[in-house]
């Protein structure tokens, strides 16, 4: 009898515990938004400076990382990387050969949208790129970043962009 009562007591306790809403951590949206914008800015700046270690530090260095991108300037038009190692190897080679495109360009972001949870966020925006000195328009892109928080720091887990054909922007 004691076994049956104990069994029913455990069942009631389990049902009660599973019906409770998980405790939601409070998010300081503006603080997290600023941290995400800072990571994106660091990634962009370190890319143009060809600082591989600083650039790499902004990414989730994991097989879970993804990049899907479209740009008419790519020979294959669409580029993808599955896992961070593939992207890191490509960028290391590019930086070492001083072949970074649009070095010193400036970017302006608009139509920003943030969705932020405790350890995951996504950020979409439009980006216009210009030559730094002449302000010559280089291109407009639709951008997506998905970020994960690792040891308290945001890391880019997904990098996506679609550059619009130039004739649509001129």
């Amino acid at each position: 009898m004691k076994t049956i009562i104990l069994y029913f007591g455990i069942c009631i306790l389990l049902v009660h515990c599973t019906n409770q809403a998980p405790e939601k951590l409070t998010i300081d949206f503006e603080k997290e938004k600023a941290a995400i914008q800072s990571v994106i800015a660091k990634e962009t700046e370190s890319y143009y400076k060809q600082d591989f270690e600083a650039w790499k530090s902004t990414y989730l260095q994991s097989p879970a990382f993804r990049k899907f991108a479209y740009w008419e300037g790519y020979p294959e038009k669409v580029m993808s990387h599955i896992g961070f190692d593939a992207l890191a190897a490509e960028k290391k080679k590019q930086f070492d050969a001083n072949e970074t495109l649009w070095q010193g360009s400036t970017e302006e972001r608009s139509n920003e949208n943030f969705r932020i949870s405790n350890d995951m966020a996504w950020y979409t925006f439009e980006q216009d790129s210009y030559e730094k000195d002449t302000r010559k328009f280089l291109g407009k892109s639709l951008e997506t970043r998905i970020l994960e928080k690792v040891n308290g720091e945001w890391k880019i887990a997904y990098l996506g962009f679609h550059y619009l054909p130039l004739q649509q922007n001129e």
Side-chain angles (χ1 to χ4, degrees):
M1 183 71 169
K2 286 182 181 179
T3 304
I4 294 173
I5 293 172
L6 180 61
Y7 173 76
F8 282 116
I10 291 172
C11 289
I12 291 170
L13 181 61
L14 287 174
V15 168
H16 176 73
C17 289
T18 57
N19 287 335
Q20 297 295 314
E23 185 178 322
K24 195 172 189 178
L25 299 175
T26 303
I27 297 170
D28 183 339
F29 185 84
E30 291 304 319
K31 177 184 171 196
E32 298 301 339
K33 177 180 167 184
I36 290 166
Q37 288 172 317
S38 178
V39 168
I40 302 306
K42 179 180 178 182
E43 188 273 342
T44 302
E45 290 165 13
S46 58
Y47 172 82
Y48 289 131
K49 289 178 181 176
Q50 298 184 76
D51 182 339
F52 183 73
E53 292 303 318
W55 172 84
K56 185 173 86 167
S57 74
T58 64
Y59 283 90
L60 180 68
Q61 297 171 34
S62 158
F65 171 82
R66 298 291 187 266
K67 173 187 173 184
F68 300 125
Y70 171 82
W71 179 49
E72 285 186 335
Y74 292 142
E76 60 280 347
K77 308 292 185 234
V78 175
M79 183 177 291
S80 68
H81 289 88
I82 306 300
F84 182 74
D85 288 346
L87 177 64
E90 175 189 292
K91 293 303 173 193
K92 178 74 171 133
K93 182 179 174 184
Q94 182 184 37
F95 289 4
D96 289 347
N98 195 26
E99 295 176 343
T100 304
L101 299 173
W102 299 356
Q103 286 186 27
S105 69
T106 59
E107 284 68 40
E108 295 175 1
R109 295 182 181 104
S110 61
N111 295 322
E112 296 174 297
N113 183 46
F114 290 86
R115 301 292 293 170
I116 303 171
S117 65
N118 296 319
D119 57 5
M120 193 76 122
W122 60 274
Y123 172 36
T124 58
F125 54 93
E126 294 177 26
Q127 180 170 277
D128 291 336
S129 298
Y130 301 91
E131 283 184 355
K132 184 177 183 177
D133 296 327
T134 66
R135 293 286 297 161
K136 176 186 173 197
F137 181 73
L138 297 171
K140 180 181 198 76
S141 57
L142 308 175
E143 307 258 349
T144 302
R145 301 292 186 277
I146 299 174
L147 299 98
E148 287 186 34
K149 196 175 263 190
V150 178
N151 298 323
E153 294 183 27
W154 289 108
K155 303 290 181 179
I156 301 167
Y158 171 81
L159 169 66
F161 57 84
H162 303 84
Y163 271 88
L164 302 176
L166 279 177
Q167 63 270 19
Q168 288 184 357
N169 297 307
E170 299 174 314

